[in-house]
């Protein structure tokens, strides 16, 4: 099964490399059992053939947060990047 999974991940790498995205995700790669156990010591040793590291996407969370703040401000929200919490309000159920 390993060759099929590895081949499939490499096919995805090929398709992703054709993308016009300026910084594509890192390519997938195979880890031998010893490296897999070093990285993930809780894996079962018996029958382990290795692991495949596969990246499906990349996300720029800082850009998303700025756009979220700008959208909220545009809709009338007050947007802060820092504030002090002075108290918490709880319901009668303690939530």
């Amino acid at each position: 099964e390993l060759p099929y999974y590895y081949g499939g991940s490499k096919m995805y790498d090929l398709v992703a490399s054709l993308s016009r995205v300026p910084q594509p995700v890192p390519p997938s790669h195979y880890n031998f059992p010893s490296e897999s156990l070093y990285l993930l010591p809780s894996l079962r040793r018996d029958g382990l053939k290795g692991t495949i590291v596969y990246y499906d996407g990349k996300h720029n969370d800082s850009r998303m947060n700025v756009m979220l703040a700008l959208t909220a401000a545009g809709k009338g929200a007050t947007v802060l990047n820092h504030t002090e919490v002075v108290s918490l309000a709880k319901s009668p159920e303690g939530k």
Side-chain angles (χ1 to χ4, degrees):
E1 295 177 350
L2 183 61
Y4 295 109
Y5 288 116
Y6 184 73
S9 67
K10 286 300 172 186
M11 290 296 289
Y12 181 83
D13 289 347
L14 175 65
V15 172
S17 72
L18 302 175
S19 168
R20 296 179 187 208
V21 176
Q23 294 178 323
V25 296
S28 56
H29 64 274
Y30 169 76
N31 289 332
F32 289 98
S34 58
E35 186 177 2
S36 300
L37 290 166
Y38 175 76
L39 295 169
L40 302 162
S42 62
L43 288 177
R44 286 188 318 198
R45 294 174 182 268
D46 53 313
L48 181 63
K49 306 282 191 242
T51 54
I52 294 176
V53 178
Y54 167 78
Y55 299 91
D56 188 35
K58 195 178 212 182
H59 180 69
N60 185 338
D61 59 335
S62 59
R63 177 172 283 180
M64 185 194 78
N65 290 337
V66 168
M67 293 307 297
L68 182 63
L70 290 173
T71 301
K75 302 272 183 189
T78 301
V79 178
L80 305 168
N81 70 342
H82 181 271
T83 190
E84 179 184 0
V85 176
V86 293
S87 68
L88 296 174
K90 291 186 177 182
S91 68
E93 297 84 34
K95 296 181 179 179

